[in-house]
Amino acid sequence: MSSASLAVSGDPLLSADGDGPRPRFTDLVAAEWIKLRSLRSTYWVLASCVVVAVVVNLNAVRSDFTYIDHPPPPMPGRGPVTYDPIFHGLNQISADLVMLAAAVVGAITVFGEYATGMVRTTFAAVPDRRAVALAKLVVVTAVTLVMGTTVSTVSFFGSNAMLASRHVGLSITDPGCIRCVAAYALIAPVCALVGMALGAVFRHATASVVAVVALLFLVPLLFGGDRYKLLRQIGNTLPGDAQSRLVANPAAPIDFGKYPASVHGSWIALAAWAVVSGVVAVVVIRRRDV
């Protein structure tokens, strides 16, 4: 039952006439959870994303067995070739899929209500728009965090279990592994909040999805390369680049380019994207007309 239906049914906690007590925040969170899980598209997007992302990661490791068993000769001037389980087991293709799915789900939670007009019913039942927006943030963050954590943990432990027979697998206690798994999981809620902010700004399905794709995947192309230091440093603060830096195996000889991002800076960048996106979503929902 949504917050609106609770108000219409006479529940004093969600009375729209102002005579009853104000709704508890937990009631708003429960209502937003019901809205989210009542959409079939949410199940399909989240479930298919988890399955496909995990399969892509595990298949990437499985396809490397021949390479591991028969490593190529070292290139001139370089040491012997070593296999990096993090690079293949938590690869960027799956990360991009998780980012896109989480951002779209975040955007849907906002523009979906505006597109159907249900947002008017929601605000009639609960005039406190900021509380409604915060409840959406809590639900979307929690759901996408579960999605990201599932993909990250299953991919890490599954891929390294497969690599155990080749004696190149890693343990979660090895240096940097917890950081890699955590960053791989946290990119999902960060991108979901970005999607919510864009959904609140555009309030239209096509515009929101296009904006998500442009910001997360096209804009970083403008700041790639190492020719200009300022552009590279800006690129390092984008969500995908920050996540890639954090998921990099510290034990592997990875080339981060001429102006690499720091681990601390990458954590700060992800946190900043989450906070700023959440603030934008709340402010826009609260201030703009329905």
Side-chain angles (χ1 to χ4, degrees), residues 59-69 83-84 88-89 163:
N59 183 66
V61 172
R62 184 199 61 80
S63 62
D64 289 333
F65 282 172
T66 302
Y67 167 84
I68 297 171
D69 296 335
Y83 185 77
D84 183 3
H88 299 271
L163 293 169

Side-chain angles (χ1 to χ4, degrees), residues 18 42 95 119 138 150 183 196 217 256 277 284:
T42 303
V119 69
V138 170
T150 302
M196 284 194 67
F217 303 106
F256 293 113
S277 298
V284 172

Side-chain angles (χ1 to χ4, degrees), residues 16 39 54 77 92 103 109 130 151 153 168-171 173 188 201 213 216 221 235 242 246 255 262:
L39 296 173
V54 171
Q92 193 58 44
T109 60
R130 181 173 60 182
V151 172
T153 54
V168 294
L170 295 173
S171 169
T173 58
V201 170
V213 174
L216 296 180
L221 299 178
L246 294 171
D255 182 12
S262 66

Side-chain angles (χ1 to χ4, degrees), residues 7 12 23 47 65 82 84 86 123 133 139 141 174 186 245 258 273 276:
F65 282 172
T82 58
D84 183 3
I86 295 293
F123 290 152
V139 171
T141 300
D174 288 337
L186 290 173
R245 176 64 181 89
K258 190 175 180 181
W273 276 101
V276 172

Side-chain angles (χ1 to χ4, degrees), residues 104-184:
V104 169
V105 168
I108 287 174
T109 60
V110 180
F111 73 67
E113 281 200 80
Y114 283 95
T116 60
M118 281 299 297
V119 69
R120 296 185 180 88
T121 307
T122 298
F123 290 152
V126 186
D128 189 352
R129 296 188 178 189
R130 181 173 60 182
V132 173
L134 289 174
K136 289 181 182 292
L137 291 177
V138 170
V139 171
V140 170
T141 300
V143 170
T144 53
L145 179 59
V146 171
M147 178 185 73
T149 302
T150 302
V151 172
S152 183
T153 54
V154 173
S155 296
F156 178 84
F157 288 104
S159 61
N160 284 285
M162 294 168 61
L163 293 169
S165 61
R166 267 66 180 181
H167 308 289
V168 294
L170 295 173
S171 169
I172 191 64
T173 58
D174 288 337
C177 287
I178 293 180
R179 184 198 73 200
C180 294
V181 173
Y184 206 80

Side-chain angles (χ1 to χ4, degrees), residues 2-126:
S2 67
S3 58
S5 60
L6 286 173
V8 174
S9 65
D11 191 310
L13 289 177
L14 294 174
S15 176
D17 58 11
D19 295 334
R22 297 179 61 183
R24 296 187 299 265
F25 185 71
T26 54
D27 298 314
L28 300 182
V29 171
E32 293 301 327
W33 164 242
I34 293 173
K35 293 178 188 177
L36 184 63
R37 68 184 178 89
S38 64
L39 296 173
R40 291 186 178 181
S41 58
T42 303
Y43 288 107
W44 282 107
V45 170
L46 296 179
S48 60
C49 174
V50 170
V51 173
V52 173
V54 171
V55 169
V56 168
N57 282 331
L58 298 183
N59 183 66
V61 172
R62 184 199 61 80
S63 62
D64 289 333
F65 282 172
T66 302
Y67 167 84
I68 297 171
D69 296 335
H70 306 284
M75 298 179 64
R78 297 189 179 183
V81 177
T82 58
Y83 185 77
D84 183 3
I86 295 293
F87 180 80
H88 299 271
L90 299 176
N91 67 68
Q92 193 58 44
I93 296 176
S94 290
D96 290 343
L97 176 62
V98 169
M99 291 170 60
L100 179 60
V104 169
V105 168
I108 287 174
T109 60
V110 180
F111 73 67
E113 281 200 80
Y114 283 95
T116 60
M118 281 299 297
V119 69
R120 296 185 180 88
T121 307
T122 298
F123 290 152
V126 186

